[in-house]
Amino acid sequence: MGGSGEIERRVQALLARMTLEEKVGQLNQQPLTQDISALEEGVRSGSVGSVVLAYTPFAGREGRRDQAAQRERLQRIALEESRLGIPLLLGRDVLHGHRTVFPIPLAQAAAWDPALAGRAAALAAAEAAQEHVNWTFAPMADVCRDLRWGRVVEGYGEDPYLSGRYAQSAVEGFQKHGGISACAKHFLGYGGSEGGRDYSGVDASQRQLREVYLPPFAQAVAAGVDSVMAAFNDVNGVPVTASRALLTGLLKEELGFDGIVVSDWNAIGQLVGQGAAEDRRDAARLAFLAGVDVDMCSGCYGEHLAGLVREGACPEARLDDAVGRVLRVKLRRREAPPAPPPGRAAAAAAALEAAQKGIVLLKNENGALPLAAGEPVALVGAAARQRRIHLGSWTLDGRARETASIAQELAARRTVYASCCGDPDRARRAAAQAGTAVVVLGEHWDHTGEARGSAGLTLPRRQLDALRAAAGACGRVVAVVCAGRALCLEEVERYADAILCCWHGGSQAARAIVSVLCGDVCPSGRLPVTLPRRPGQIPLYYSQRTAARSIDSYYGTGDIASYLDCPAAPLYPFGWGLSYTAFSYGPVSARREGDGVCLAARVRNTGERAAEEVCQCYIQPRGGGRAHPARLLRGFRRVRLEPGEEREVRFVLGERELSGADETGRARLWPGYAAWIGGNSRTDNGTVFRLEGG
Ligand code: BGC
């Protein structure tokens, strides 16, 4: 592929002038957490090509003071004081916002609105670029079917199709509209870490790699992503950082990726600990030959790569290839400088829209929501008063003091009897004063993210006690759940008449939540993950393969039970979400269109208020001698309908949407298909079709 003609010419001209050490320097990434004068000297001498401004369990947390000025100064040194004036890449984990914090990526996925996520990425990029960041380590494109994994917060949920649409939009937002480089991470299979334990190995068949984990990365590459991060984990026993088959064979050759492959933090050094490399020199050799271009913070390339090339253990052509990839990205970015941010108010409006659209109404009985106009409510739970909780994990630059609490926002709208300390007795007293209690339940923002696994997937006991106490003291209970992942909410479901799943919704979360509670906004989010009843059901995802006997282990209606001690079905399935109105669907039609099929159905707003519905299209392949997933999402559309309004929704599925992979990983079509169009993954509004003969 390569860059444009002029960029390519400049890349080759630079390569021709560079010493071996300068080439290795371009592949050496250092943290901003180290001694700043040593870093400046590294940049000046050309032994450092990029910097990561991190905030991780390993990297620690750098002080915020003067960071933007430091970045600016480092860039000036690279451009004006280094021999070749090659710009620096200044990387930071701008995951879901910068100063303006958008909902966590999982919540953005709950909006089923990739274009909105693209706008969020562009705004975040523009804000970050103003502070001299030109590379974000986002989006995280790891599909995850195990809510115990703490990093589920960073991705777009359990489905490859939904995740792929989001990965594509985020890349376009960051790069095309925001003007900074994106990084699709963590390639490949990281979301499958065994037991949800971070950094663990993954055993996955070719079919699973291709059908489940690869699609979002393929979408990111197709969208022109500048970089891809190799995952920490091993896949089938080979650490990805040392996997030539995955990094060079699959990513660079098969997908045609022409950008930078960056290792994860110290992942090259860790090859020794994983047992894959004999020592750091061997680790550098393995990673480099596998296809890792940039070494994030292990130092192995800096120590050994020049020697390895001199001795002939690593070919110079591979070095030029790696350096060329880095230079191309650097020059491309300088060609297209980022646009200035649109201003805090515009960013806040987009953050509010994203937070509102991601809220999922899981349950609504007993007329609980929206709250009756002017009705006083009891507000229960310590999380109601918290502000930092809404910003979620991986918030490096957002400020809690610029974020309101639910208590502040609700008190501005109506009389509130508050017990925001979480004490059950006080919760009971507050609830007894009002007809309705709003109980805010929350997972601490630092309980999801890297190395933040959870085996229990539950809320703190004290919070549940307060919920129970409130439920015993008033007529209606609304549970507002602010969490970084989907939790097991069986107990919440027992006591609450209504449940709003609000995630960690960013700077504007509290306003968004109160606007939904009060009915100004109709909830329209849909679950991007399955919500299990208990952790013992995990892995539980809607597209699991149909079982051999009549155990319907996802939908839960088979003749034989999956578990003796728990229903098979999830508490709420993938795609689930209620509205303050209701929608109905007409029958599904299927007709041949080109190489594929056009599926259509009419959707109608049968309720009394205008609202948005997320129409979802699923298929199930049939035949071909393989067991197939029960359902596969293959299209979705947000549709706004006035009361009584009806509209046709159409989904055109081509070869890409209809094909799967066989055991060797080869793409193939299947003889027949079932298809459904409806409001969630459980819809039974379906038809069947075959490709041949139309
Ligand atoms: C994480 C990456 C992150 C990097 C830099 C690592 O520990 O796994 O996702 O981009 O640190 O902060």
Side-chain angles (χ1 to χ4, degrees):
M1 286 166 89
S4 74
E6 173 53 18
I7 287 183
E8 206 47 40
R9 196 193 56 71
R10 286 167 60 199
V11 166
Q12 295 311 323
L14 276 170
L15 278 171
R17 292 177 62 200
M18 291 170 86
T19 64
L20 179 56
E21 282 68 23
E22 281 167 336
K23 287 181 183 174
V24 170
Q26 286 303 309
L27 312 184
N28 182 26
Q29 181 171 112
Q30 290 290 313
L32 191 68
T33 40
Q34 67 170 257
D35 171 39
I36 194 73
S37 51
L39 190 55
E40 287 180 359
E41 193 35 47
V43 172
R44 196 172 286 117
S45 69
S47 66
V48 175
S50 55
V51 173
V52 47
L53 315 127
Y55 180 89
T56 76
F58 289 114
R61 298 160 187 206
E62 82 275 20
R64 195 170 266 140
R65 217 156 35 91
D66 292 340
Q67 256 187 46
Q70 262 170 15
R71 290 173 213 148
E72 189 179 19
R73 183 169 157 70
L74 286 168
Q75 190 63 281
R76 198 163 1 91
I77 292 173
L79 291 171
E80 295 169 11
E81 298 175 30
S82 72
R83 189 177 78 90
L84 296 169
I86 299 172
L88 264 187
L89 282 174
L90 292 155
R92 188 165 183 78
D93 293 280
V94 180
L95 246 97
H96 55 106
H98 186 71
R99 178 78 172 263
T100 305
V101 182
F102 287 86
I104 54 169
L106 189 62
Q108 293 189 33
W112 293 59
D113 191 342
L116 181 56
R119 273 202 283 142
L123 287 162
E127 283 187 359
Q130 277 233 314
E131 298 190 355
H132 309 284
V133 172
N134 58 14
W135 187 11
T136 175
F137 300 117
M140 189 184 94
D142 296 310
V143 169
C144 172
R145 276 109 189 251
D146 192 329
L147 298 168
R148 294 171 296 181
W149 193 48
R151 304 197 76 166
V152 66
V153 62
E154 294 174 56
Y156 303 114
E158 76 180 43
D159 184 66
Y161 180 84
L162 185 64
S163 302
R165 295 275 303 271
Y166 269 86
Q168 175 195 340
S169 275
V171 168
E172 288 171 357
F174 285 128
Q175 294 192 174
K176 208 164 17 161
H177 308 294
I180 70 173
S181 288
C183 180
K185 70 187 188 184
H186 309 79
F187 186 85
L188 188 67
Y190 189 30
S193 294
E194 207 166 60
R197 293 181 285 272
D198 213 356
Y199 320 123
S200 297
V202 177
D203 276 333
S205 66
Q206 277 301 319
R207 186 175 173 194
Q208 198 175 5
L209 286 177
R210 302 255 172 181
E211 289 186 347
V212 179
Y213 296 115
L214 188 60
F217 288 94
Q219 291 277 95
V221 170
V225 71
D226 278 344
S227 65
V228 171
M229 190 182 292
F232 282 125
N233 54 281
D234 75 70
V235 172
N236 302 327
V238 181
V240 178
T241 308
S243 173
R244 195 178 144 71
L246 290 179
L247 298 180
T248 299
L250 181 54
L251 178 62
K252 291 182 175 175
E253 290 173 2
E254 197 180 315
L255 296 187
F257 174 62
D258 75 338
I260 303 168
V261 172
V262 58
S263 79
D264 205 337
W265 188 282
N266 190 33
I268 300 180
Q270 286 165 198
L271 288 176
V272 181
Q274 279 172 290
E278 291 176 42
D279 51 32
R280 287 170 63 80
R281 182 179 180 281
D282 196 30
R285 185 185 63 84
L286 281 170
F288 190 66
L289 294 179
V292 175
D293 301 309
V294 169
D295 172 2
M296 184 190 280
C297 300
S298 86
C300 293
Y301 280 9
E303 289 159 32
H304 298 290
L305 197 51
L308 285 164
V309 172
R310 260 190 215 103
E311 292 155 26
C314 291
E316 184 136 17
R318 164 75 189 110
L319 183 63
D320 285 353
D321 165 59
V323 178
R325 287 168 181 270
V326 172
L327 296 177
R328 222 170 276 134
V329 167
K330 289 183 168 183
L331 297 184
R332 259 190 232 151
R333 279 298 137 227
R334 289 207 71 83
E335 290 259 292
R344 302 286 299 286
L352 178 64
E353 184 185 345
Q356 285 167 333
K357 284 190 168 163
I359 292 175
V360 186
L361 178 62
L362 295 174
K363 173 182 180 182
N364 194 13
E365 288 173 4
N366 199 13
L369 284 179
L371 299 172
E375 183 201 6
V377 294
L379 184 62
V380 170
R385 253 205 342 244
Q386 292 164 7
R387 299 188 290 177
R388 176 62 182 87
I389 187 172
H390 300 300
L391 302 184
S393 119
W394 287 105
T395 292
L396 279 59
D397 299 276
R399 316 216 169 143
R401 65 171 184 275
E402 293 170 3
T403 305
S405 69
I406 295 176
Q408 285 169 325
E409 292 286 345
L410 196 60
R413 301 288 301 269
R414 61 184 63 222
T415 305
V416 170
Y417 307 115
S419 164
C420 299
C421 67
D423 173 63
D425 287 332
R426 290 174 64 178
R428 192 174 297 112
R429 279 201 298 278
Q433 291 178 274
T436 300
V438 173
V439 183
V440 183
L441 306 158
E443 188 184 38
H444 192 280
W445 66 267
D446 202 23
H447 286 182
T448 44
E450 192 176 341
R452 296 288 183 274
S454 165
L457 290 177
T458 185
L459 289 157
R461 188 74 256 158
R462 197 172 155 79
Q463 293 192 17
L464 295 170
D465 288 346
L467 169 72
R468 217 184 23 244
C474 70
R476 281 185 300 269
V477 170
V478 176
V480 171
V481 184
C482 301
R485 52 159 75 82
L487 294 162
C488 294
L489 299 178
E490 237 185 348
E491 201 165 342
V492 175
E493 216 258 346
R494 199 169 306 136
Y495 293 105
D497 300 285
I499 308 176
L500 279 181
C501 175
C502 301
W503 319 100
H504 290 153
S507 306
Q508 297 293 322
R511 253 179 86 191
I513 291 166
V514 170
S515 69
V516 170
L517 285 172
C518 296
D520 322 336
V521 168
C522 195
S524 59
R526 303 289 182 263
L527 286 177
V529 282
T530 297
L531 219 139
R533 292 166 191 276
R534 303 196 202 154
Q537 290 178 297
I538 290 173
L540 185 65
Y541 50 95
Y542 84 94
S543 63
Q544 63 191 50
R545 290 196 295 276
T546 317
R549 284 208 166 146
S550 56
I551 295 182
D552 186 342
S553 43
Y554 189 82
Y555 296 88
T557 51
D559 303 336
I560 311 169
S562 294
Y563 303 109
L564 298 178
D565 58 350
C566 175
L571 193 58
Y572 297 105
F574 177 81
W576 179 261
L578 301 170
S579 168
Y580 293 157
T581 186
F583 300 95
S584 71
Y585 284 83
V588 181
S589 69
R591 72 180 161 70
R592 195 69 199 247
E593 187 159 317
D595 284 343
V597 68
C598 174
L599 300 164
R602 296 191 73 78
V603 54
R604 182 182 174 81
N605 181 346
T606 58
E608 278 158 21
R609 59 178 289 176
E612 291 190 8
E613 162 74 331
V614 179
C615 307
Q616 302 164 36
C617 173
Y618 296 87
I619 61 165
Q620 183 191 30
R622 301 222 163 137
R626 308 292 190 289
H628 293 286
R631 287 184 185 192
L632 292 169
L633 180 72
R634 282 299 179 261
F636 58 90
R637 190 150 308 136
R638 251 182 186 269
V639 184
R640 182 181 166 81
L641 294 171
E642 297 297 318
E645 191 185 344
E646 184 175 306
R647 196 180 303 168
E648 187 184 62
V649 282
R650 302 166 77 238
F651 299 95
V652 178
L653 275 45
E655 219 174 284
R656 196 174 66 177
E657 288 79 20
L658 294 170
S659 61
D662 68 14
E663 307 70 55
T664 65
R666 221 164 19 104
R668 58 164 295 180
L669 290 164
W670 309 102
Y673 298 84
W676 298 264
I677 295 177
N680 62 67
S681 66
R682 260 187 132 128
T683 176
D684 56 8
N685 186 40
T687 187
V688 292
F689 67 91
R690 294 179 69 81
L691 283 181
E692 63 273 14

